[in-house]
Amino acid sequence: MMLMERYQKAVDELFAKVRATQTETIDKAADLIANAVANGGKIWLAEICHSIQMDLIFRGGGPIFYKQYDRSKDFDNLKPGDVVVVSSVSGRTKHVVEMAWNAMEKGVTVIAFTSMEYATQVDPIHPSGKKLYEFVSLVVDNCAPAAEAMLDVEGIEAKFAAASGIASDYIMWNITAAVVEKLLAKGITPGILKSGNFPGGQQYNETVIEPNYEKYGW
């Protein structure tokens, strides 16, 4: 089997594992986000697996209520009722654990993406002695293997093909689909952006979606 075919098979199996093990957690995450949006809270996406969050923030087909979280600028803007989504595959990345810890102390809901297989095999490095999954509001397992990569390749010492990024993007869009459905059930029509490069898209975003978000928060 060619390496590309092996990769495709590994991704299929990864997504199947996410569906089999994380569907209930995805629904819980969607509840937290939908309730926050409905109650006027902000939804902040911190860096998720090497900037996967940018696949959801202010882009065609995505909801306007996701905002980029910059830990150097936005911490003072966090308030109880907000949700912050953070990510550390190993569960011990120091600045991520610190960011999540501080947000929790402010009464903010923290949803953390991690690999439980990975995180349970490494030691914490944060002064609290905690890893991410041990104190946040909700843990989403991205189902990546320990040390991240999925495939052995003959002649190469390191394993090939990182799992966490593609899994996290898949999970985030699943969460988002559930959030949109839950908001609609609450009588809230969330603002979904059109592509700014498609005719009429930018005008629609500027005249309909952005003003609606400024007024209602969704």
Side-chain angles (χ1 to χ4, degrees):
M1 185 182 294
M2 294 175 60
L3 184 56
M4 181 176 68
E5 293 172 332
R6 290 180 59 206
Y7 173 73
Q8 292 170 350
K9 182 174 184 291
V11 170
D12 288 343
E13 291 172 351
L14 177 66
F15 285 2
K17 184 176 181 180
V18 167
R19 292 192 297 272
T21 66
Q22 298 304 300
T23 296
E24 183 178 342
T25 303
I26 285 169
D27 192 62
K28 289 178 180 178
D31 273 333
L32 291 173
I33 293 172
N35 289 336
V37 171
N39 292 319
K42 290 189 175 181
I43 313 302
W44 302 91
L45 304 186
E47 185 173 303
I48 302 172
C49 295
H50 303 277
S51 299
I52 291 302
Q53 77 280 1
M54 298 312 298
D55 193 40
L56 295 107
I57 294 173
F58 211 83
R59 54 90 44 86
I64 194 170
F65 55 73
Y66 286 143
K67 300 301 176 186
Q68 173 77 51
Y69 180 75
D70 184 334
R71 60 194 171 95
S72 67
K73 298 177 182 177
D74 294 321
F75 180 72
D76 290 340
N77 296 325
L78 293 180
K79 63 182 188 301
D82 289 353
V83 174
V84 178
V85 182
V86 302
S87 171
S88 168
V89 186
S90 68
R92 70 174 198 158
T93 309
K94 189 173 181 180
H95 77 269
V96 176
V97 176
E98 181 75 10
M99 177 172 55
W101 186 272
N102 292 338
M104 289 288 291
E105 286 193 326
K106 289 191 77 168
V108 173
T109 297
V110 177
I111 298 171
F113 282 44
T114 195
S115 162
M116 289 302 295
E117 181 180 326
Y118 196 163
T120 53
Q121 294 187 41
V122 295
D123 295 325
I125 57 176
H126 189 260
S128 67
K130 302 282 188 181
K131 288 174 280 186
L132 204 53
Y133 71 89
E134 296 179 296
F135 66 86
V136 295
S137 309
L138 183 69
V139 176
V140 181
D141 186 354
N142 59 33
C143 298
E148 180 73 70
M150 296 184 286
L151 299 175
D152 289 306
V153 180
E154 186 175 355
I156 299 176
E157 181 175 345
K159 284 193 172 185
F160 169 73
S164 64
I166 193 167
S168 296
D169 198 27
Y170 181 63
I171 292 168
M172 274 302 309
W173 279 109
N174 273 275
I175 290 173
T176 305
V179 170
V180 168
E181 188 170 37
K182 289 174 188 293
L183 288 173
L184 289 170
K186 294 176 183 289
I188 294 170
T189 303
I192 303 299
L193 295 153
K194 292 185 178 181
S195 172
N197 291 309
F198 197 79
Q202 187 66 25
Q203 182 182 12
Y204 174 78
N205 293 339
E206 291 176 353
T207 61
V208 178
I209 299 301
E210 293 177 34
N212 195 75
Y213 177 77
E214 291 301 319
K215 186 174 181 179
Y216 300 111
W218 37 264

